[in-house]
Amino acid sequence: MFLVTGITGKVGGAAARHLLAQGKKVRALVRDRAKAASWAEQGVELVDGDWNDTAAIERALASVDGAYVMLPAVWAPSPDFREAKGIIANYVEALAKAAPPRVVGLSSMGANRTSGLGMITALSLLEQGLRKLTSPIAFVRAGGFFENFLYGLHVAQGGTLPVYYNPTNRKSTMVATNDIGAEVAALLAGPAWSGHRVIELGSMISADEVAAQLGDVMQREVRAFAVPRAEWPAAFEQSGIPKGQTGPAEAVFDAVNAGWMDLGVAGTERVAGTTLPRDVFAAAQMAATT
């Protein structure tokens, strides 16, 4: 039995699919049973509760063979990251008591640093918190998600994909959420290990390459366009981040453009992604038309 948090999200859902495909039993901590009904139909055991309920986390961890834990994405976190710190404290308390045979935590490229990361600071804090545990832990430092470019299927009709990557031909670490789920499942159900591991997950790819593969799927030429830095706050506000609170999101791309998210941090393992951007775009396009 393996616990998967965030099962209604992309990475948690991918991890659960891969575990189920291997014939493993999956348990999920869920706030809304209705939202997770499709998982229950596939045999997933649902435990009511959320990240803010330590007792619920403990119930979900009871007698599991491994646990996958993650933090919800908060694009406009408090200056002290109190939202993440609260959840991390709950995880640490529950995991210390349950002490599962192995834990896999979703992290991010760059989480080896402790400053200048914007909203990714939460994942650096998660790593720091979970390192206090005695259970074997693997941190999956994933690259930027290809799924974050899916807006391109709607906005690139004119042949331009606006991006925050600058220059657009510079490669940075990116990955598909399905590949993250596959790696999480492999770590949970694969050979045992001891101590702490860090896996860098993804491949080096540029925004230009992503745009070109989007064009392949859309059957038209698409070029990446770097949104001018001065226009970032307004652009993030249009995406739903409250005015005056876009700094943490901006800092993420500043870090990417500075090269802080590249592969090759000392002491880490490296796993390349196998899913291409065009695969993600094609799947989303097909889903939208069926």
Side-chain angles (χ1 to χ4, degrees), residues 215-261:
D216 292 343
V217 173
M218 297 178 67
Q219 297 184 324
R220 64 168 303 127
E221 183 178 14
V222 176
R223 294 183 178 275
F225 165 73
V227 177
R229 182 65 180 83
E231 297 178 14
W232 286 13
F236 279 119
E237 288 168 16
Q238 289 181 353
S239 70
I241 299 178
K243 185 176 179 63
Q245 298 181 49
T246 62
E250 295 174 49
V252 171
F253 288 96
D254 281 332
V256 171
N257 293 337
W260 289 9
M261 304 297 189

Side-chain angles (χ1 to χ4, degrees), residues 2 22 102 185-193:
F2 297 98
Q22 296 175 33
R102 65 184 78 181
L187 288 165
L188 286 175
W193 73 88

